[in-house]
Amino acid sequence: MIEQVMLNHWSTIFIAIHLSSYDGAAFEVRVLTNQMVAVHGSPAVLGCAFSPPPSLQDVVITWQRTEDKRVVHSYYYGTDQLERQSPAYKGRTALYHGELERGNASLRLARPGRGDTGGYLCSVSTSQGTDKAEMRLGYAAVFSEPRLSILAHDSSFTIRYESQGYPEPEVQWKGCSEQNLTHSSEVLEAKEDPDLLTLKTQVEVENVCNLSWTLVVVNRPLGQVMERTASFIYDDQRTQVDCRGPFALSAMCVAGTLALCTCGLIVLWRRRTKMSSVPQ
């Protein structure tokens, strides 16, 4: 369904381009955007249009990487010709054959990853002429719902957050008065998926009596802004930790302290995630 919507979207654009630019004009190849971002887990469509050909038998389409001239996909003699295709792209590329007669040379790239970033060249040749156009492909992954853990010390608590996404995000911890808090963060390669990074960040606070802290994670390529506020309500009448909420929480007591385990702590985890344009 998503792919069909994308195809209809591209087709509408191609028809508009043909009517406004290609009617009676010289042969031309045009990418629909100079730069785009592929999203982890979704196919990417690299848009490319050319002057509609009189016959598909004369059409030669070649997609290459601009950095090293690797062949990503090729088409001629009315069919795909993938003998010289780079092994990195085998089984992952396709043209929209039903749209070729309209001048649609767009490439569908399945399972995009970090290794696919860079320049792509769309070259088309027909009986009307030869032309090419270049675009750049970026890559990003939405950061996952966080895992929160709390480590209790003798006189402080450490709040830890872990998530996965790509690329390395901007991280900020804020106190209850919106002040910036000193924190530490590290980004590691995700063991289970080489196309993701694991973010680990933490902040240490001196006490947790009716206070709250907010973590802000910004993934600029996707416009993802994720805010997670942890509110701690100390209740000396409780005898256990209340771990309710739509998040993963683990509470740990280090040797020499029983405050978290014996007094009780109510943790409220407020979530807000938005996908929008992030100012550069």
Side-chain angles (χ1 to χ4, degrees):
M1 178 63 69
I2 294 177
E3 182 177 345
Q4 185 62 46
V5 171
M6 294 171 65
L7 178 56
N8 292 339
H9 173 69
W10 290 120
S11 299
T12 301
I13 295 177
F14 290 136
I15 293 172
I17 290 177
H18 298 335
L19 293 177
S20 62
S21 303
Y22 289 151
D23 188 15
F27 182 80
E28 182 182 3
V29 172
R30 181 183 302 176
V31 292
L32 301 187
T33 180
N34 293 325
Q35 188 167 353
M36 64 172 290
V37 176
V39 181
H40 179 74
S42 300
V45 178
L46 284 63
C48 181
F50 63 100
S51 305
S55 171
L56 291 181
Q57 291 300 316
D58 299 326
V59 174
V60 177
I61 300 174
T62 303
W63 279 92
Q64 288 179 282
R65 291 296 300 269
T66 57
E67 296 87 354
D68 50 19
K69 304 304 180 184
R70 281 183 297 162
V71 176
V72 178
H73 194 100
S74 60
Y75 172 96
Y76 53 91
Y77 294 147
T79 187
D80 294 317
Q81 305 286 345
L82 305 179
E83 293 80 6
R84 299 176 58 191
Q85 184 183 39
S86 169
Y89 293 96
K90 286 195 176 295
R92 296 202 295 136
T93 62
L95 299 176
Y96 294 96
H97 292 91
E99 292 287 308
L100 292 178
E101 62 183 10
R102 291 186 174 186
N104 183 351
S106 296
L107 180 74
R108 181 185 186 274
L109 176 62
R111 304 183 302 280
R114 296 164 62 177
D116 297 324
T117 60
Y120 287 78
L121 187 67
C122 176
S123 302
V124 182
S125 176
T126 72
S127 58
Q128 297 171 298
T130 300
D131 197 15
K132 56 188 176 182
E134 181 180 347
M135 66 172 296
R136 295 196 65 81
L137 181 69
Y139 166 78
V142 174
F143 274 86
S144 61
E145 184 60 28
R147 176 179 176 83
L148 174 71
S149 62
I150 304 168
L151 180 64
H153 308 281
D154 287 329
S155 60
S156 65
F157 285 80
T158 298
I159 308 169
R160 292 176 177 172
Y161 162 99
E162 183 175 329
S163 179
Q164 290 187 333
Y166 192 86
E168 181 174 348
E170 300 171 17
V171 178
Q172 182 185 25
W173 282 91
K174 297 186 294 185
C176 55
S177 299
E178 296 295 313
Q179 75 275 24
N180 290 334
L181 301 178
T182 301
H183 67 276
S184 62
S185 298
E186 63 176 341
V187 178
L188 309 171
E189 300 287 333
K191 295 180 180 180
E192 63 275 18
D193 191 335
D195 289 322
L196 296 177
L197 296 175
T198 297
L199 168 67
K200 295 182 178 182
T201 182
Q202 65 180 43
V203 64
E204 185 171 338
V205 294
E206 294 302 321
N207 68 69
V208 293
C209 184
N210 300 326
L211 294 178
S212 66
W213 294 266
T214 300
L215 173 68
V216 182
V217 176
V218 179
N219 186 348
R220 286 192 176 274
L222 294 181
Q224 180 190 15
V225 180
M226 182 164 55
E227 295 187 12
R228 297 295 181 268
T229 299
S231 298
F232 298 88
I233 304 174
Y234 184 75
D235 183 359
D236 58 7
Q237 301 301 315
R238 296 181 61 88
T239 59
Q240 60 182 353
V241 177
D242 188 338
C243 298
R244 301 173 185 174
F247 60 92
L249 171 68
S250 60
M252 300 167 287
C253 290
V254 299
T257 179
L258 298 177
L260 182 62
C261 296
T262 61
C263 296
L265 190 67
I266 302 174
V267 182
L268 304 177
W269 185 240
R270 296 197 299 272
R271 52 187 288 178
R272 187 178 75 175
T273 300
K274 61 182 179 180
M275 304 289 288
S276 60
S277 299
V278 180
Q280 300 296 322

